């Protein structure tokens, strides 16, 4: 069982639309990407802490989008300060965002005022509230999304999606926590024992599946709204939920009831499972692709891990198609539309940590794009619009969440100090 579990940790994968001109609407409106000045109005010393935090987070979010030239206001200003739009226009500033926050009991109230210097008007005035002050990153993320929507730039709703991840606390034990994409907000959800491979159960992110090792691997579903922790099924060898159908009624599971890892389709309402792969070796990390008409997965049927696909009916209903033809050890993959992102091992050293780089390939052409340059880069996941990839980067004895903005050549790392991340979903 230990051998199979370790192999799966090296394998894991997941689901991509079309690439778009990410600056088209922005350029139409402003002639170039807009320059935005971000100011904070938290002059009250007792409230300055969270105003400053949201101010800094908003600036970072706007830079991450790639849709703005962002300028940071150097000092707090008063809300009553009259804006001289002529001066802003002379400085080629298109937008002015003013933010502040106020702590109310255990919660937080934040305000955004967005001015359009070109029209001389208040474009947006909005209040954002959170019941817990530590959730302040999400208030900033929501502000960034609203500002982005005002200029009609490509969607960046992924900024406010929760990340769920498992990380090791000591040998044989791990916890599951929820965070924002920057890891600034963190909330522990599951602890005690070995808890791994969390997977969101629905688009609303109100529940998730995870594997807990008891006497044997067991799949649990944790409901965040009720706190209910429900055992779904258990299996010998291994048991991992790798993907969930769009309606939330079907799961793709990796199970090894007979010491052989295969892909199973599990129907939640009937509790019925169907084995989809029949290979005598290792098949893991199934994911729905092509409107859930096919399954993409990782298999060693070439003598090394690579990416394959079969019809949703299973391996016996049609041929197994090889999806990636570059690399000799491709152990994790995710698809979106005609593109696949995968992790490929590029060194083979028995005594040192090997290098795993990320690559983007097209299923319709010979297009290959390398996305990382060094280190151990694993578990890539596309955002729903296909413009952003999140992944795990391992360095020394700690890990980071990596974010790649494909259309902007931006890569950002958000480290989790002194912690090794086992897996994640977003």
């Amino acid at each position: 069982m230990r051998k199979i579990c370790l192999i799966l940790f090296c394998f894991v994968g997941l689901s991509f639309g079309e690439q778009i001109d990410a600056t088209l609407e922005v350029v139409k409106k402003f002639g170039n990407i807009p320059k935005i000045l971000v100011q904070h109005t938290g002059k009250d010393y007792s409230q300055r802490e969270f105003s400053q935090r949201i101010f800094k987070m908003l600036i970072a979010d706007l830079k991450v989008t790639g849709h703005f030239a962002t300028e940071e206001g150097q000092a707090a200003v008063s809300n009553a300060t009259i804006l001289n739009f002529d001066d802003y226009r002379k400085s080629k500033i298109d937008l002015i965002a003013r933010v502040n926050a106020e702590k109310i009991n255990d919660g937080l109230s934040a305000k955004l005022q967005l001015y359009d210097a070109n029209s001389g008007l208040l474009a947006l005035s909005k209040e954002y509230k959170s019941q817990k002050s530590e959730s302040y990153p999400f208030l900033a993320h929501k502000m960034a999304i609203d500002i982005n929507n005002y200029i009609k730039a490509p969607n960046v709703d992924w900024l406010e999606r929760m990340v769920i991840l498992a990380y090791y606390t000591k040998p044989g034990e791990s916890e599951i926590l929820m965070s924002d994409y920057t890891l600034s907000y963190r909330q522990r959800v599951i602890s005690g024992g070995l808890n791994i491979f969390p997977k969101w159960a629905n688009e609303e992110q109100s529940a998730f599946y995870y594997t807990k090792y008891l006497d044997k691997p067991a799949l649990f579903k944790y409901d965040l709204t009720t706190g209910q922790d429900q055992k779904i099924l258990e299996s010998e060898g291994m048991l991992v939920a790798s993907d969930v159908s769009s309606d939330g009624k079907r799961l793709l599971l990796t199970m090894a009831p007979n010491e052989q890892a295969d892909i199973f389709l599990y129907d939640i309402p009937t509790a019925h499972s169907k084995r989809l792969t029949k290979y005598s070796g290792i098949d893991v990390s199934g994911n729905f692709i092509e409107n859930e008409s096919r399954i993409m997965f990782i298999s060693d049927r070439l003598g090394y891990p690579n990416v394959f696909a079969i019809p949703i009916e299973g391996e016996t209903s049609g041929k197994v198609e090889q999806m990636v033809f570059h690399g000799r050890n491709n152990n994790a993959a995710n698809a979106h539309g005609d593109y696949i992102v995968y992790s490929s091992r590029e060194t083979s050293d028995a005594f040192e940590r090997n290098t795993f780089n990320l690559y983007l390939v097209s299923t319709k052409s010979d297009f290959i794009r390398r996305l990382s340059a060094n280190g151990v880069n694993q578990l890539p996941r596309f955002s729903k619009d296909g413009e952003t990839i999140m992944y795990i980067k391992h360095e020394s004895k700690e890990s980071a969440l990596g974010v790649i903005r494909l259309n902007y050549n931006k890569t950002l790392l958000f480290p989790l100090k002194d912690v090794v991340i086992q897996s994640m979903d977003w």
Side-chain angles (χ1 to χ4, degrees):
M1 182 174 75
R2 175 175 172 80
K3 181 179 179 182
I4 294 176
C5 184
L6 290 175
I7 291 173
L8 180 62
F9 173 70
C10 293
F11 265 37
V12 197
L14 256 148
S15 305
F16 191 38
E18 58 188 2
Q19 296 290 312
I20 61 176
D21 184 344
T23 60
L24 183 59
E25 290 296 331
V26 181
V27 171
K28 278 183 180 178
K29 185 166 184 174
F30 291 91
N32 206 332
I33 63 170
K35 185 177 182 180
I36 183 170
L37 172 66
V38 184
Q39 302 173 328
H40 68 95
T41 60
K43 301 200 76 171
D44 182 345
Y45 183 79
S46 64
Q47 303 293 347
R48 189 178 299 174
E49 177 187 358
F50 285 102
S51 286
Q52 187 74 10
R53 288 184 184 183
I54 290 175
F55 167 71
K56 292 290 188 181
M57 184 65 71
L58 176 59
I59 290 170
D61 281 347
L62 294 173
K63 289 179 178 178
V64 167
T65 69
H67 299 157
F68 301 89
T70 308
E71 185 174 312
E72 178 178 337
Q74 295 304 307
V77 299
S78 170
N79 260 332
T81 303
I82 298 175
L83 290 91
N84 187 325
F85 292 112
D86 286 335
D87 287 345
Y88 287 118
R89 285 191 286 265
K90 287 177 184 177
S91 300
K92 300 189 182 303
I93 292 174
D94 300 290
L95 300 167
I96 305 99
R98 289 184 167 181
V99 299
N100 65 55
E102 180 182 3
K103 199 170 186 300
I104 303 175
N105 297 323
D106 293 333
L108 201 63
S109 174
K111 295 180 181 178
L112 165 69
Q113 289 182 309
L114 179 68
Y115 295 89
D116 189 324
N118 297 307
S119 66
L121 298 174
L122 176 64
L124 182 65
S125 180
K126 194 168 180 180
E127 185 175 5
Y128 307 79
K129 292 186 177 182
S130 171
Q131 293 182 347
K132 296 181 179 180
S133 58
E134 57 265 31
S135 299
Y136 76 89
F138 290 100
L139 302 187
H141 301 335
K142 290 177 186 293
M143 289 181 182
I145 290 169
D146 286 338
I147 295 171
N148 186 79
N149 289 343
Y150 171 71
I151 67 169
K152 295 182 171 59
N155 189 292
V156 290
D157 286 356
W158 63 268
L159 287 172
E160 65 173 338
R161 284 191 67 79
M162 280 274 197
V163 178
I164 191 160
L165 59 88
Y167 65 99
Y168 294 109
T169 55
K170 58 184 179 181
E173 291 195 16
S174 59
E175 297 180 343
I176 293 175
L177 64 77
M178 296 189 304
S179 75
D180 73 318
Y181 81 95
T182 70
L183 292 172
S184 300
Y185 169 83
R186 297 196 291 268
Q187 178 187 349
R188 186 174 61 188
V189 187
I190 303 291
S191 60
L194 185 60
N195 308 283
I196 53 179
F197 295 111
K199 175 67 186 173
W200 287 115
N202 50 38
E203 175 63 23
E204 298 76 29
Q205 297 189 318
S206 63
F208 62 89
Y209 297 99
Y210 70 99
T211 299
K212 178 183 282 289
Y213 274 79
L214 303 171
D215 294 332
K216 62 180 69 173
L219 183 69
F220 282 78
K221 182 180 182 181
Y222 185 85
D223 191 318
L224 291 165
T225 60
T226 65
Q228 181 183 12
D229 201 14
Q230 176 189 4
K231 184 193 286 189
I232 305 300
L233 76 160
E234 57 184 23
S235 173
E236 299 289 346
M238 67 189 303
L239 174 55
V240 176
S242 57
D243 206 2
V244 182
S245 63
S246 58
D247 62 6
K249 295 181 178 180
R250 296 183 298 172
L251 299 176
L252 285 176
L253 305 176
T254 300
M255 294 196 294
N258 301 307
E259 305 235 345
Q260 172 184 313
D262 276 303
I263 309 299
F264 290 77
L265 183 66
Y266 181 80
D267 184 78
I268 297 173
T270 64
H272 176 264
S273 62
K274 176 184 177 182
R275 181 180 169 188
L276 300 181
T277 57
K278 308 290 186 180
Y279 172 60
S280 59
I282 297 173
D283 294 328
V284 297
S285 305
N287 289 268
F288 294 106
I289 61 172
E290 299 176 13
N291 295 320
E292 301 181 6
S293 66
R294 294 215 294 168
I295 304 298
M296 188 177 76
F297 61 101
I298 306 296
S299 176
D300 68 347
R301 58 188 67 205
L302 292 180
Y304 61 89
N306 203 5
V307 188
F308 298 87
I310 55 173
I312 187 68
E313 293 78 17
E315 186 172 344
T316 56
S317 65
K319 70 175 185 178
V320 178
E321 180 183 0
Q322 182 177 342
M323 304 294 286
V324 172
F325 296 88
H326 170 267
R328 292 287 298 176
N329 191 319
N330 307 324
N331 59 15
N334 191 213
H336 189 288
D338 296 333
Y339 292 88
I340 295 173
V341 60
Y342 65 95
S343 175
S344 183
R345 192 181 75 186
E346 300 192 325
T347 59
S348 183
D349 193 320
F351 303 101
E352 299 290 338
R353 174 169 279 190
N354 289 304
T355 297
F356 289 81
N357 277 320
L358 301 180
Y359 287 85
L360 182 70
V361 297
S362 170
T363 60
K364 303 296 184 182
S365 70
D366 294 331
F367 168 83
I368 299 176
R369 175 180 167 187
R370 185 161 132 178
L371 301 178
S372 64
N374 53 60
V376 179
N377 306 282
Q378 289 283 5
L379 293 173
R381 307 279 201 252
F382 277 109
S383 60
K384 285 195 171 295
D385 61 11
E387 285 192 21
T388 305
I389 292 169
M390 183 177 285
Y391 65 101
I392 300 172
K393 188 178 189 74
H394 298 292
E395 292 184 301
S396 185
K397 293 183 179 180
E398 66 181 34
S399 304
L401 288 183
V403 173
I404 300 172
R405 295 283 283 148
L406 290 173
N407 288 338
Y408 310 91
N409 292 320
K410 285 176 176 282
T411 299
L412 305 100
L413 291 173
F414 303 95
L416 197 57
K417 294 292 185 182
D418 302 319
V419 164
V420 176
I421 300 175
Q422 183 268 333
S423 60
M424 66 84 184
D425 191 29
W426 72 321

